[in-house]
Amino acid sequence: MACTIYKPDPASLSYLASVLSTGGLVALPTETVYGLAGNALDKQALRSIFEVKGRPLIDPLIVHVLGVVEAQQLAHWGPMADRLAQAFWPGPLTLVLPKKPCVPDLATAGQPSVALRAPAHPLFREILALAQVPLAAPSANPFGYISPSCAEHVVTSLGNRLEHVLDGGPCDWGLESTIVSLLDPEKPVILRHGPIPPEAIAEALGCELHLKDTATASDKEAQIAPGMLSRHYSPHCHTYLVKNQENTPQGARPAARVCLARPLEIPDEAGVQYFWLSESGDLQEAARELYQLLRKLDQPPWKAIYLELAPETGIGHALNDRIRRAASCSP
Ligand code: TXA
Ligand code: MG
């Protein structure tokens, strides 16, 4: 299958919107990562998304809409959803709410809830407006692999299974959206860390937040704290979590770093090259760099990746979550 990469000119946008509204799939940029989009109300399109990604049907999809009015057609809305949407939509926040019957079971893995997000990326929004359908869009990577933060990543890992990719340049955040479940209005739960930190969610809601203990989620159940398999976003090569060191051969250590070495040994200086996620310790920059760098290093001549954690504040929660998952298969 030949894969075409489109520049975002008006003719391409309206063509791609028509592909989507007639049941086809298109990889689209969002402000978090690239998504593999299809009509969320079309069962055949949903089936194709799972097939192209090699994704198990128990892992439900995020449905993208323009805003609150469109979200209310798909889910039972409430005051908590209103507060969060006011504060963070359009943007990198996904809300899990009780679904309405029009949402196909395939999109939700048979659960009575649906995950909804109004993305901020102008190209995604333009496509939503033109296609006039809600768009289911998981990250546009093979299941379990590192999410794509630029069009080239999509083409490299899915180009032989996908016909259309819209190139909107690199993603602003580079990590997937924060997911909050509002299924129990008394007890909002963060299901996945993302660019909107827990502090900001708690402040907007004016109440205490709960965190899903992802360590207990079984990889076989429908993913209600979902998609949260302990190993995810993972490079193919051995990836280890190592203790942060104060100093390196290249000087004092910035906030987060990735380093490399020979396989199955803790690095000694001769075999190691250090890569900073952010030289200045800017966590947002570190988050944006993480997937770019993991993909770059997940190929020869590099044999293993050693990762350090970042300070657990702001987007550091999400950054560390992805670092731990990338490294959780270490022998
Ligand atoms: O930033 C993002 O969220 C990106 C862009 C493309 O929007 N999308 C993304 O989708 O990360 P995906 O499929 O890679 O992750 C979706 C997560 C999954 O882990 C899934 O289990 C969870 O959302 N999810 C979907 N529906 C759910 C539901 N009804 N209840 C709980 N979790 C749900
Ligand atoms: Mg994903």
Side-chain angles (χ1 to χ4, degrees):
M1 181 182 291
C3 176
T4 307
I5 303 171
Y6 298 79
K7 289 287 168 207
D9 53 74
S12 298
L13 294 185
S14 57
Y15 172 65
L16 294 174
S18 72
V19 168
L20 286 162
S21 54
T22 54
L25 303 188
V26 181
L28 296 174
T30 86
E31 72 277 29
T32 57
V33 297
Y34 274 67
L36 176 60
N39 180 353
L41 304 178
D42 177 335
K43 288 181 199 153
Q44 191 48 49
L46 294 171
R47 250 177 241 119
S48 313
I49 292 177
F50 284 98
E51 265 169 40
V52 168
K53 270 191 70 103
R55 177 174 176 124
L57 294 169
I58 55 166
D59 194 357
L61 306 173
I62 294 177
V63 177
H64 298 68
V65 291
L66 273 172
V68 173
V69 173
E70 292 78 8
Q72 287 171 336
Q73 289 164 10
L74 305 175
H76 297 283
W77 200 251
M80 305 269 260
D82 243 354
R83 255 181 257 165
L84 290 181
Q86 284 293 332
F88 304 112
W89 276 13
L93 177 69
T94 296
L95 301 177
V96 174
L97 292 161
K99 86 175 188 84
K100 290 191 171 169
C102 61
V103 181
D105 284 342
L106 256 179
T108 67
Q111 297 177 78
S113 59
V114 61
L116 296 174
R117 175 161 109 79
H121 198 291
L123 294 175
F124 201 113
R125 296 187 67 75
E126 223 174 309
I127 294 274
L128 274 172
L130 290 166
Q132 300 264 314
V133 290
L135 293 174
S139 49
N141 51 284
F143 180 70
Y145 194 57
I146 306 162
S147 293
S149 51
C150 63
E152 201 190 336
H153 293 168
V154 180
V155 176
T156 306
S157 47
L158 287 183
N160 57 353
R161 296 193 237 164
L162 186 62
E163 278 179 88
H164 312 288
V165 179
L166 176 60
D167 187 353
C171 301
D172 283 349
W173 290 103
L175 291 184
E176 306 81 354
S177 63
T178 307
I179 305 180
V180 178
S181 169
L182 296 176
L183 293 180
D184 178 350
E186 304 294 310
K187 195 179 161 206
V189 185
I190 295 205
L191 298 181
R192 178 174 75 185
H193 285 297
I196 312 281
E199 304 88 279
I201 308 262
E203 194 187 321
L205 286 176
C207 72
E208 200 192 328
L209 263 187
H210 299 261
L211 286 182
K212 174 73 194 175
D213 177 7
T214 53
T216 61
S218 152
D219 289 2
K220 295 205 183 64
E221 295 163 12
Q223 299 293 303
I224 47 148
M228 298 293 81
L229 309 183
S230 56
R231 178 170 190 265
H232 212 80
Y233 317 113
S234 302
H236 298 307
C237 74
H238 290 299
T239 305
Y240 307 83
L241 192 61
V242 291
K243 213 165 148 255
N244 293 17
Q245 291 157 34
E246 288 310 312
N247 287 293
T248 73
Q250 292 165 23
R253 99 175 247 291
R257 87 171 193 221
V258 178
C259 72
L260 290 214
R262 296 167 301 191
L264 306 177
E265 286 173 38
I266 287 297
D268 63 30
E269 284 173 22
V272 179
Q273 184 163 340
Y274 293 86
F275 296 84
W276 311 122
L277 288 179
S278 165
E279 289 208 29
S280 64
D282 174 347
L283 291 184
Q284 222 160 294
E285 182 188 19
R288 209 164 40 235
E289 283 299 308
L290 179 69
Y291 290 161
Q292 295 276 355
L293 203 49
L294 286 180
R295 279 181 178 254
K296 184 173 127 189
L297 302 182
D298 194 19
Q299 53 193 323
W302 311 113
K303 301 266 177 59
I305 303 176
Y306 295 82
L307 296 157
E308 286 186 348
L309 293 174
E312 196 98 4
T313 166
I315 200 172
H317 293 282
L319 186 55
N320 285 345
D321 171 70
R322 304 310 189 271
I323 286 174
R324 288 193 187 96
R325 279 177 212 288
S328 73
C329 218
S330 304

